[in-house]
Amino acid sequence: MSLVLFFPGLTPTRYDAIGDFVTTHRHAARRFAEADEVLGYSLVEAYRNASIYDWEVYQSGYMALTLALADWAEEHYGERPELCGGQSYGAVMAAVRAGALSYPDALRLMVRSVRVEQDYFSSQPEPIGCHFFYKLSYDTVRKLIEEFRAQGSWMELSVAFDASVHAVSAHQDTLVRFEQRVREEGGMPFYTVDRAEHCSALAGLRDRLADEVYTTATWHDTSIPMISDVDGRCLTSGEEIKQDLLNGWTTPVHWRTVMDGISRAGGDRVWIPGPRNMFARISNRAFPTRVISPKTALAA
């Protein structure tokens, strides 16, 4: 049986929640310094002053943070994972740990992707977004989506994080009404991002990224297998992982797909590096799970 290093998807995390780790821990110092070289500016300073809609800064910071936490965990606990994986944006960090992408190439891939995404979303006839919420069952979420579709609105399920945390993509004005329905059904809205996520409506964006961005990176075969969050397969070639990351743009993320993939691959324990202990929800009902957070590392 195998240890799985699993990188969670990006959630907005303010600098004050990670600042102590970022500025005092040697693993963080190394990852952030490497990012500075690629980005051409101080990522720590940019993160300190960023808003949650500064995609490049938040995504770069999240990549540096989670990889630093993974570095620390492997050193501190004296174990190396036999498998890795990631959910949503976390799949990019998994590609780095698997060896399919170098860290600098992953940062450059993200920066170029952000520029294409911003151009794509700004050119849409109507603003679109993705709303995250919790405390509703999957069946209730499906019922609400069908309710809005019956009214003529475009809406797609983007994320089923676990049995009660979900996200849907739709036009921004639709999401305002959807948030009210979430409250009426007893759910709790979390936050809305200014872009759609993981849905078929992003086919055009996926094609642009494939042509303009993903061909600019060098892809390698892996040193450890990477579990896909698209279909749960174990991926070992650079080309497979490149296509999987692209397919993630148009495929809803479902936690059950990941859990089934871990089981089929022989995983029996999971480490999750991330800024919040809420990520234990991904796997702690199915596997012994250790969340590797800044607090974990600073307290050691």
Side-chain angles (χ1 to χ4, degrees):
M1 302 297 281
S2 301
L3 170 65
V4 181
L5 180 63
F6 189 84
F7 293 88
L10 174 65
T11 59
T13 303
R14 297 291 187 184
Y15 177 82
D16 57 8
I18 65 171
D20 287 347
F21 176 75
V22 165
T23 55
T24 65
H25 207 282
R26 63 183 178 84
H27 287 296
R30 179 174 67 86
R31 288 293 188 180
F32 275 79
E34 290 180 75
D36 293 351
E37 291 295 316
V38 174
L39 299 172
Y41 57 81
S42 169
L43 179 55
V44 170
E45 289 306 311
Y47 200 114
R48 193 193 310 271
N49 300 305
S51 79
I52 64 171
Y53 296 116
D54 290 331
W55 300 357
E56 178 180 308
V57 173
Y58 260 75
Q59 290 180 200
S60 299
Y62 191 77
M63 187 184 302
L65 173 71
T66 54
L67 288 172
L69 289 169
D71 295 339
W72 172 82
E74 291 186 38
E75 177 183 87
H76 180 75
Y77 295 114
E79 290 188 74
R80 295 180 64 83
E82 291 87 12
L83 299 161
C84 69
Q87 187 174 46
S88 188
Y89 182 56
V92 178
M93 280 67 85
V96 174
R97 181 57 187 84
L101 277 176
S102 70
Y103 178 43
D105 254 6
L107 285 164
R108 285 187 283 266
L109 181 84
M110 181 277 304
V111 170
R112 292 165 181 157
S113 293
V114 164
R115 291 170 185 164
V116 172
E117 292 166 51
Q118 289 173 328
D119 179 68
Y120 177 85
F121 287 118
S122 66
S123 68
Q124 296 303 302
E126 299 179 57
I128 59 179
C130 186
H131 179 65
F132 290 77
F133 54 98
Y134 60 104
K135 290 191 176 179
L136 290 184
S137 70
Y138 180 78
D139 288 344
T140 300
V141 174
R142 293 302 314 179
K143 182 190 75 172
L144 288 177
I145 291 172
E146 291 307 317
E147 175 185 313
F148 276 79
R149 287 176 174 173
Q151 297 168 3
S153 299
W154 163 67
M155 182 174 289
E156 295 188 50
L157 177 70
S158 294
V159 177
F161 185 74
D162 68 1
S164 66
V165 180
H166 300 86
V168 301
S169 290
H171 292 112
Q172 290 280 5
D173 58 351
T174 302
L175 290 176
V176 172
R177 293 185 287 114
F178 181 81
E179 182 175 333
Q180 180 58 37
R181 288 292 292 119
V182 167
R183 294 182 190 277
E184 290 170 355
E185 291 290 332
M188 294 291 292
F190 189 19
Y191 65 96
T192 298
V193 295
D194 57 344
R195 52 183 169 173
E197 302 270 9
H198 309 297
C199 61
S200 65
L202 298 185
L205 174 59
R206 181 206 180 279
D207 291 344
R208 281 193 59 182
L209 291 170
D211 293 338
E212 300 175 33
V213 177
Y214 281 63
T215 55
T216 67
T218 302
W219 301 86
H220 308 276
D221 291 345
T222 65
S223 56
I224 60 173
M226 173 176 155
I227 300 168
S228 166
D229 69 333
V230 173
D231 59 18
R233 290 183 300 130
C234 271
L235 310 174
T236 57
S237 80
E239 182 61 28
E240 282 182 317
I241 290 174
K242 178 177 77 171
Q243 294 302 321
D244 190 73
L245 293 179
L246 285 167
N247 290 340
W249 287 96
T250 53
T251 306
V253 173
H254 202 298
W255 73 289
R256 177 47 60 191
T257 299
V258 174
M259 293 303 96
D260 290 346
I262 290 174
S263 293
R264 288 196 301 270
D268 65 343
R269 291 177 297 135
V270 179
W271 287 0
I272 301 181
R276 301 183 181 192
N277 60 14
M278 67 170 283
F279 293 123
R281 299 171 63 98
I282 296 173
S283 61
N284 66 1
R285 294 188 182 96
F287 305 99
T289 297
R290 171 177 279 159
V291 175
I292 315 296
S293 71
K295 289 183 178 179
T296 307
L298 290 171

